[in-house]
Amino acid sequence: MSLEDELLEQRLNRIREIEALGFPAYGRRFEFTHTLPRIAAEYGSKTAEELEPPVSVRVSGRLETIRRMGKAGFAHLSQGGTRLQIYVKKDAAGERDFQLYQLLDIGDIVGAEGYLFRTRTGELSVHVTSLHFLAKTLLSMPEKWHGLEDVETRYRQRYLDLIANPEVRQVFVTRSRIIASFRRQLEAHGFIEVETPMMQPVYGGATARPFITHHNALDIDLYLRIAPELYLKRLVVGGLDRVYEINRNFRNEGLSTQHNPEFTMLEFYQAYTDYRGLMDFSAELLRQVAIDATGGLEVEYEGNRLNFGRLERMSMREAIIRFWSGESRPSMDDLRDPDWLLRHSSRSSPGEALAEIFERVAEPCLIQPAIVYDYPVETSPLSKNKPEEPAMVERFEIYAAGMELGNAYTELNDPQEQRRRFDMQLAMRARGDEEAHQMDEDYIRALSYGMPPTGGEGIGIDRLTMILTGSKSIRDVILFPLLRPEGPLGLADRLRALDGRER
RNA sequence: GGGCGCGUAGCUCAAUUGGCAGAGCAAGUGACUCUUAAUCACUAGGUUGCAGGUUCGAUUCCUGCCGCGCUCACCA
């Protein structure tokens, strides 16, 4: 018999012993007086004298350590990212509860009643008068000193990662704070949160390959959305002047440290503003998010100190000139010259060439949070042209740590021009660009009813979370990143074999 | 999809040129009524990711496959 089977059998037997003492192996509702974080906050700095007269508490948590010493012993409970020591002495807890203490395993979930005191070494602890059993662990916990290091196991069994590695919990708490901060700020500016279709008959709003699924009753293929954009703007047509959505997008593309097939975007649309207005708003939003998430404006990422207190602004052409390395730095005139652009890129149109050169030359250098504005029309089928240079559009992207964090533009609200843009995209698709936009006639119909001048923006929540939590991989900020399926575990078979057979 | 790397006990890691697969934690038994990586004694635990090959002999060398990581391509 393997060790794991032996362990499983031991634990199942132990359940019988615990039940024989009169404790259910899997308890029910437990009334507590304090969470462990609250005890830490309220009593963490109290001296032994200040804990007189005794403070009675009823707490619960998962057992992280157990130190048994004959007729007494210690253990650490963990709850809400906080540990609290309990002291179980036979004289104080009584015969039956002390027997229970002797049957506990690391990982079990228990309740403890008693009073707070300081041990001789000064650690705040609960002097236990009564123990409760709440849930049994059948499998052994990761090692207490090194935690759980195996990356694959950490992603596949995130619950173990959260139990064994306290800093992981903090990453996801911060992620939650980031999202809450956006919501709070947008609500304060009069935005309302909406939910638009995840399953779409025509996908759009971004350049990407979609996932395809099928609806049986209607017998139609549907696409998991690559962006909510076109639906949100239909809502602006409908008079929802300030709307936002924080939700998943799905893109059927490769995985990397910066790409997960499903990822979370904030998109918001504000009528009667333009991309200049959104630049100001973006700077305000990011500044406050950084404060809400980290307590400050500066954050250390990959050896750089990033300051979210300001967003430097530069045009795409300025960025190329500024970050050009090596000989023959181009001039502003070069970057307006179609021949120069096509000579310096393998792309087929001057605008695509400009964007490609920017991504190659400047994007990796954009370490400090920055706004890059004015994009070529070819790469921006939904943005409004610049009046003085129709080949360019009123669009900007937000960069930090060499990553694209956000994308915003003055929305194109002229249905005839939008139809021409879709035609342009169809031509690109005919040339083999699989990611070029589809024609969306229903969207053109919506614009044909008149959409107010509008600014719209998307911010990648995962990447922003990476930066604000110092995470190197997007998988570290997504609780359950996509992995290949694991294959059969055999646990059901083992449990079935042991069911009712334990002594 | 390409390139590079990794896979050994439940967890964290060793194993000399190809020569008896080991340790710590966790687990079991015993001792211990203020320990905190508790301590002490003893015990058990392995299809070395999977399948082949080379060899007297493979954790080690070779081939294929599976999984993961990094990276390039694609993308946000």
Side-chain angles (χ1 to χ4, degrees):
Chain A
M1 182 160 51
S2 78
L3 174 67
E4 223 180 341
D5 284 335
E6 244 174 70
L7 189 93
L8 208 48
E9 189 168 10
Q10 276 168 18
R11 297 283 168 95
L12 288 167
N13 286 334
R14 189 154 284 184
I15 284 178
R16 303 291 161 261
E17 297 177 52
I18 288 168
E19 286 172 339
L21 284 176
F23 297 95
Y26 297 95
R28 298 182 183 277
R29 176 171 177 154
F30 182 76
E31 302 288 349
F32 55 88
T33 58
H34 303 73
T35 62
L36 299 193
R38 192 173 147 216
I39 289 199
E42 284 185 27
Y43 303 102
S45 56
K46 293 270 195 288
T47 63
E49 293 72 38
E50 289 168 325
L51 292 171
E52 292 291 338
V55 179
S56 292
V57 297
R58 220 175 127 90
V59 295
S60 62
R62 188 185 288 276
L63 284 162
E64 279 201 343
T65 63
I66 301 174
R67 293 174 294 282
R68 286 185 245 269
M69 293 165 302
K71 298 185 183 63
F74 292 88
H76 272 113
L77 289 186
S78 170
Q79 183 194 51
T82 299
R83 297 173 81 183
L84 180 65
Q85 183 170 260
I86 61 173
Y87 177 52
V88 187
K89 190 164 68 164
K90 192 174 180 180
D91 299 346
E95 179 74 31
R96 174 170 159 273
D97 289 14
F98 191 74
Q99 277 184 43
L100 173 64
Y101 169 75
Q102 290 177 304
L103 290 172
L104 295 179
D105 287 301
I106 290 172
D108 288 350
I109 295 171
V110 301
E113 270 181 88
Y115 56 90
L116 293 175
F117 77 114
R118 292 244 170 225
T119 62
R120 263 173 219 159
T121 53
E123 179 164 347
L124 182 67
S125 308
V126 179
H127 205 293
V128 172
T129 53
S130 162
L131 266 185
H132 302 261
F133 197 76
L134 301 176
K136 186 77 199 140
T137 179
L138 295 180
L139 301 173
S140 62
M141 290 290 154
E143 201 224 23
K144 62 185 172 191
W145 189 241
H146 297 90
L148 180 65
E149 306 257 313
D150 183 74
V151 177
E152 187 177 346
T153 309
R154 289 186 44 223
Y155 295 155
R156 285 197 195 282
Q157 296 177 264
R158 184 67 89 180
Y159 46 91
L160 280 185
D161 193 25
L162 286 162
I163 291 167
N165 302 319
E167 66 282 3
V168 172
R169 178 193 188 90
Q170 198 48 49
V171 166
F172 291 101
V173 168
T174 301
R175 182 181 172 117
S176 170
R177 286 210 192 108
I178 289 167
I179 293 171
S181 174
F182 276 122
R183 282 214 166 93
R184 192 161 49 239
Q185 294 187 73
L186 288 162
E187 298 287 336
H189 282 83
F191 286 80
I192 65 163
E193 182 169 14
V194 296
E195 289 155 286
T196 60
M198 310 288 265
M199 297 191 295
Q200 306 178 344
V202 177
Y203 63 93
T207 54
R209 297 224 300 271
F211 288 91
I212 304 173
T213 187
H214 188 80
H215 187 271
N216 289 337
L218 294 180
D219 191 25
I220 50 169
D221 282 342
L222 291 167
Y223 302 99
L224 298 191
R225 74 178 188 193
I226 58 173
E229 168 155 356
L230 300 183
Y231 284 95
L232 290 172
K233 282 188 282 192
R234 284 174 172 93
L235 297 179
V236 177
V237 170
L240 301 185
D241 284 354
R242 296 188 178 197
V243 289
Y244 75 98
E245 178 163 9
I246 297 175
N247 224 323
R248 231 68 64 79
N249 290 341
F250 307 87
R251 300 191 184 173
N252 203 341
E253 281 152 1
L255 296 82
S256 81
T257 49
Q258 292 169 36
H259 300 84
N260 194 63
E262 54 178 312
F263 64 101
T264 301
M265 282 274 284
L266 158 67
E267 284 205 14
F268 59 91
Y269 290 82
Q270 178 178 343
Y272 309 110
T273 190
D274 66 1
Y275 79 144
R276 293 281 167 190
L278 290 182
M279 287 186 202
D280 297 336
F281 190 34
S282 300
E284 186 185 330
L285 280 174
L286 288 179
R287 186 190 149 80
Q288 191 60 45
V289 164
I291 291 170
D292 290 342
T294 70
L297 291 170
E298 290 206 342
V299 62
E300 179 97 11
Y301 190 74
E302 304 270 87
N304 295 303
R305 285 205 76 75
L306 308 187
N307 185 347
F308 281 87
R310 64 182 292 267
L311 285 178
E312 191 177 354
R313 301 179 192 187
M314 65 193 91
S315 74
M316 176 178 274
R317 289 180 179 125
E318 286 167 356
I320 292 172
I321 293 169
R322 174 163 163 187
F323 294 111
W324 189 272
S325 63
E327 303 296 303
S328 61
R329 182 186 302 267
S331 67
M332 197 56 87
D333 285 339
D334 288 334
L335 295 179
R336 293 183 204 276
D337 176 6
D339 294 332
W340 188 95
L341 291 169
L342 291 172
R343 276 204 311 278
H344 287 81
S345 171
S346 59
R347 298 300 159 89
S348 52
S349 71
E352 289 171 281
L354 180 68
E356 189 273 326
I357 293 167
F358 164 75
E359 282 168 22
R360 179 156 39 88
V361 169
E363 188 172 323
C365 304
L366 290 162
I367 303 300
Q368 285 301 322
I371 280 173
V372 175
Y373 60 88
D374 290 356
Y375 279 62
V377 66
E378 290 94 327
T379 60
S380 316
L382 302 163
S383 319
K384 207 180 192 79
N385 309 75
K386 284 177 74 72
E388 66 277 18
E389 191 185 4
M392 302 293 278
V393 295
E394 296 188 351
R395 173 180 175 189
F396 70 86
E397 293 196 333
I398 303 168
Y399 286 89
M403 286 192 291
E404 185 186 333
L405 289 187
N407 179 22
Y409 35 85
T410 309
E411 302 297 339
L412 178 57
N413 62 342
D414 173 350
Q416 184 64 291
E417 174 63 13
Q418 185 64 69
R419 191 270 309 157
R420 283 186 218 110
R421 299 288 188 83
F422 280 145
D423 284 344
M424 190 193 297
Q425 292 289 313
L426 291 178
M428 288 167 66
R429 180 171 281 264
R431 288 204 309 269
D433 185 349
E434 283 185 62
E435 293 174 352
H437 233 278
Q438 294 180 303
M439 171 65 71
D440 191 337
E441 276 203 277
D442 180 70
Y443 176 63
I444 291 179
R445 176 170 62 180
L447 289 187
S448 298
Y449 283 99
M451 180 171 82
T454 298
E457 177 162 339
I459 293 177
I461 297 295
D462 311 276
R463 288 184 179 176
L464 181 59
T465 304
M466 285 170 67
I467 291 174
L468 294 179
T469 58
S471 301
K472 206 168 163 251
S473 169
I474 199 167
R475 293 185 194 96
D476 292 324
V477 301
I478 292 174
L479 283 165
F480 298 99
L482 184 68
L483 298 177
R484 280 204 154 81
E486 206 177 352
L489 306 180
L491 181 58
D493 283 342
R494 280 161 39 212
L495 284 172
R496 194 174 297 119
L498 291 168
D499 195 7
R501 304 236 326 259
E502 61 274 14
R503 286 168 285 111

